[in-house]
Amino acid sequence: MLLGKQKVMNFNRHWDINEEYKDYDLKVYSHWLVCVSTRQHTLGCCIIFCLRPGVWKYSELTTEEVAELIQVKKELEQVLNKTFENIHVNYCQYGNKVKVFHEHVIPRYEGQKIKLGHIWPDPNPSSLPVWSKKNEDPSLLLKIKQELLVNFEQ
C-alpha cells in the first residue's frame, strides 16, 4: 500500500532523525518504508527503513521483518530496472549516523546514464560506488520519485 498520513505520523514519532525523507516516500509495507535517497550515488538510489522503533541491527529483526524485507527488495529491484534499466543493485547497511535499521539501495549501471536532464556516472559497476556527500536538489528528487511511482504496483 502506498504511504498514508497515519502511518507516516506513527513512523515519524519513533524515528530519531529530521524530516529529510518525508517528501520522498515511495511505498510503505507492514514493516518497511521505502524512500528515494536524498543522496543519489547513482540514479535511483533509495533507502529502506525499518518501521519498528528501536531496531538498529540486522540481528534484531524478526523473522516476519526479514521475510518481508526480501519481498520489498524484489519489488524495488523490479521497479528500478523497469524505470531506469540498471544492470544490478548493491545494498549497504552501515548504521553509523541514522539510529534506525535501514539499507541503502544503489542501482548500478554500465557506464553513465542520461536521464532527467542529468548525466549519472557509474564508472565501475563491479566495484564500490562513488559515495556522494551532497543532497540532490529537492525538485530533482521529486522527479525521480514520480518516475519510480509509475512502476510500483498500486
Side-chain angles (χ1 to χ4, degrees):
M1 103 181 157
L2 292 178
L3 199 56
K5 288 184 181 180
Q6 184 61 43
K7 194 74 163 185
V8 173
M9 288 169 47
N10 291 339
F11 179 69
N12 286 340
R13 232 178 299 169
H14 301 294
W15 199 25
D16 187 23
I17 192 170
N18 62 26
E19 295 187 358
E20 184 175 1
Y21 294 97
K22 69 177 173 59
D23 295 327
Y24 311 119
D25 54 286
L26 290 167
K27 189 169 181 179
V28 69
Y29 298 80
S30 296
H31 304 288
W32 302 97
L33 172 67
V34 178
C35 297
V36 172
S37 178
T38 56
R39 294 182 180 174
Q40 293 291 299
H41 315 294
T42 62
L43 174 62
C45 284
C46 294
I47 300 182
I48 303 170
F49 293 101
C50 182
L51 290 173
R52 185 163 51 94
V55 177
W56 189 17
K57 299 182 281 189
Y58 187 84
S59 60
E60 297 171 336
L61 295 174
T62 66
T63 305
E64 294 81 16
E65 288 166 337
V66 171
E68 188 179 58
L69 180 59
I70 292 168
Q71 294 306 311
V72 170
K73 288 180 175 185
K74 284 181 183 179
E75 182 177 20
L76 185 54
E77 287 171 6
Q78 291 170 351
V79 168
L80 287 166
N81 186 263
K82 189 172 181 180
T83 307
F84 298 127
E85 300 175 333
N86 56 301
I87 56 173
H88 64 92
V89 174
N90 290 153
Y91 295 94
C92 303
Q93 193 273 320
Y94 298 116
N96 295 329
K97 183 178 174 186
V98 178
K99 302 302 184 198
V100 64
F101 182 84
H102 65 284
E103 289 191 358
H104 298 267
V105 181
I106 305 169
R108 303 307 302 271
Y109 301 91
E110 198 66 57
Q112 66 184 20
K113 192 79 175 164
I114 300 172
K115 188 82 173 173
L116 302 171
H118 284 69
I119 298 173
W120 304 89
D122 193 356
N124 189 355
S126 60
S127 186
L128 294 174
V130 176
W131 202 255
S132 175
K133 294 189 179 195
K134 73 173 187 76
N135 288 352
E136 294 293 341
D137 181 85
S139 64
L140 179 59
L141 295 172
L142 290 172
K143 288 178 187 175
I144 293 169
K145 175 183 173 176
Q146 291 308 312
E147 292 274 326
L148 290 167
L149 282 175
V150 167
N151 292 311
F152 262 106
E153 292 183 20
Q154 303 296 323

